[in-house]
Amino acid sequence: MPWRQNLASLGNRCMNSVRQPFRLLDASASSAQPKIAVFRAMHLGELLCTVPTLRALRAAMPNAHVTLIGLPWAASFARRFSGYIDAHVDFPGFPGLPGQSVDLPRIPSFIAAMQEQRFDCVLQIHGSGGLSNPLVRTFGAVRNAGFYRQGEYCPDPLHFMPWDENCHDILRLAQLMTFLGVPPASHELEFPVTEADRQALLASLPKPPAAGSYVCIHPGARLPAQRWPAADFARVADRLHAAGLQVLLVGSAQEATLAATVQRDMRMPALNLAGKLGVGAFAALLEQARLVVCNDTGIAHIAAALGIPSVALCYGSGLRRWAPLDRRRHRSVHVVTEDAAGQPGLVRERVLATVRALLEDTGMPLA
């Protein structure tokens, strides 16, 4: 497409520039420690997809002070990725932005606090920019950059590139970095597991199963429309148990009832850990698993970051936009809603066939 060629040309000229190697910062605002804010008020999976971008920013500008403007829970994410993120600011939400609550009385003081920061640049990677671009402009940064939807408001054509709805999120963010003149990093995810995480796991599960002997089944998803039926997870879990894997049901406290439903529908025994592990302890459990079977959620991205084979059930555009990029170690099964309702056995067989092929290809075949 012509605009892609134009953007690539602009990015190449920027990267080859001696005077201003990174168009991300306005030349007049450059300093020994530039202040960059990244606006991405999203959940775990979406933030994990941001890690390659954060890694590229740190490599390109090692002295920059990077602030993540995100949901309150993301303070723990910022601490875990302290090599890339220096500070976290709670975003109070904003009317019209989906997937979050809105604390209206806090919005004026939040915007005032952002203006006091005097950021050199705010990077808007929350989405296509319909609401987020005008919001970010109120932060008063020297420079804003990010995405905009073609035909809609574009704050600055030199620093905002068109939003590609059909592009995978990690690749779209990499394109933005290239457009802004930041040398690309690898697309690999990462999730640091600490000794504290492993100790937290042992506190909840003093005798964990042997490494490679178990499968983690995660039946939850934030949106009900993205959840494969509990009864189908139960049937797959039974088959994996019969093939020699211990079944561990996992999820958040909000998903404990759903995991209990899967356990009740199973014919074989399972250990239900839903609601009993924090994110770090769960990652410590996951890093020793043989396999993960889940919906298209943040758990799939943790598995990808840890290099643990996974099979994810994807609905709608999830396969195209969010599935892990390493298709050898991580497989996705696209579920058509009509098939899930009308031919559940057919979908289950597709999942099991995908599991068997995945484990054979990664050198860990089922019995």
Side-chain angles (χ1 to χ4, degrees):
M1 297 176 67
W3 69 264
R4 288 186 186 275
Q5 297 171 355
N6 293 337
L7 293 184
S9 176
L10 284 170
N12 289 335
R13 288 204 301 271
C14 182
M15 285 186 284
N16 293 331
S17 169
V18 175
R19 291 186 178 181
Q20 190 180 350
F22 307 116
R23 195 171 60 205
L24 183 63
L25 291 177
D26 184 85
S28 64
S30 295
S31 64
Q33 189 181 44
K35 297 179 67 175
I36 300 175
V38 176
F39 177 59
R40 183 129 165 139
M42 297 178 129
H43 298 274
L44 178 60
E46 293 95 336
L47 281 189
L48 283 174
C49 287
T50 313
V51 169
T53 295
L54 296 170
R55 187 165 57 234
L57 285 174
R58 181 59 75 201
M61 290 169 278
N63 296 325
H65 185 277
V66 178
T67 298
L68 173 65
I69 303 173
L71 298 178
W73 81 267
S76 62
F77 181 90
R79 290 191 296 271
R80 187 171 296 275
F81 289 92
S82 59
Y84 306 141
I85 302 170
D86 300 294
H88 170 265
V89 173
D90 285 357
F91 176 59
F94 195 77
L97 285 181
Q100 54 197 269
S101 59
V102 180
D103 187 350
L104 279 174
R106 272 197 58 215
I107 293 177
S109 61
F110 163 75
I111 293 176
M114 295 300 92
Q115 292 171 349
E116 291 175 2
Q117 289 290 326
R118 299 184 181 276
F119 291 116
D120 292 306
C121 180
V122 175
L123 189 62
Q124 189 284 107
I125 56 173
H126 182 81
S128 61
L131 284 174
S132 47
N133 284 340
L135 171 64
V136 164
R137 285 292 301 275
T138 68
F139 297 173
V142 174
R143 177 67 64 201
N144 296 307
F147 296 104
Y148 77 98
R149 193 180 294 278
Q150 285 184 298
E152 298 182 1
Y153 168 63
C154 175
D156 177 357
L158 287 179
H159 295 84
F160 282 78
M161 69 174 285
W163 172 266
D164 185 350
E165 185 71 32
N166 295 315
C167 188
H168 192 285
D169 193 60
I170 294 174
L171 301 180
R172 181 169 49 224
L173 293 173
Q175 290 173 3
L176 178 64
M177 291 296 97
T178 299
F179 172 59
L180 294 172
V182 175
S186 74
H187 300 324
E188 293 181 0
L189 301 184
E190 57 185 275
F191 192 96
V193 179
T194 67
E195 185 58 31
D197 295 329
R198 298 184 180 98
Q199 291 301 317
L201 172 62
L202 291 176
S204 298
L205 189 63
K207 295 183 178 180
S213 68
Y214 57 94
V215 54
C216 289
I217 303 283
H218 181 266
R222 188 158 37 91
L223 300 177
Q226 295 176 344
R227 297 175 191 159
W228 201 39
D232 291 323
F233 270 112
R235 297 286 79 77
V236 168
D238 282 338
R239 296 278 290 275
L240 292 175
H241 184 279
L245 292 179
Q246 183 176 350
V247 174
L248 275 59
L249 302 175
V250 296
S252 67
Q254 292 76 20
E255 295 163 336
T257 299
L258 181 59
T261 300
V262 174
Q263 186 177 33
R264 184 191 64 222
D265 290 345
M266 288 180 63
R267 298 184 179 93
M268 301 290 187
L271 177 60
N272 187 354
L273 297 174
K276 299 177 182 178
L277 303 176
V279 173
F282 170 73
L285 177 72
L286 204 63
E287 69 175 350
Q288 299 295 327
R290 177 94 158 271
L291 172 72
V292 177
V293 180
C294 59
N295 291 304
D296 180 24
T297 66
I299 301 306
H301 294 294
I302 295 180
L306 296 174
I308 302 302
S310 67
V311 172
L313 286 298
C314 297
Y315 288 79
S317 63
L319 177 62
R320 182 178 68 251
R321 295 180 57 193
W322 299 105
L325 293 174
D326 179 1
R327 301 301 166 82
R328 176 182 176 274
R329 191 173 293 274
H330 310 286
R331 309 285 170 87
S332 299
V333 176
H334 184 248
V335 180
V336 178
T337 303
E338 291 77 10
D339 288 346
Q343 297 180 297
L346 178 63
V347 179
R348 289 197 297 269
E349 291 305 317
R350 284 171 53 205
V351 171
L352 287 165
T354 302
V355 166
R356 288 189 178 277
L358 169 64
L359 293 181
E360 287 177 4
D361 290 347
T362 53
M364 297 181 292
L366 290 173

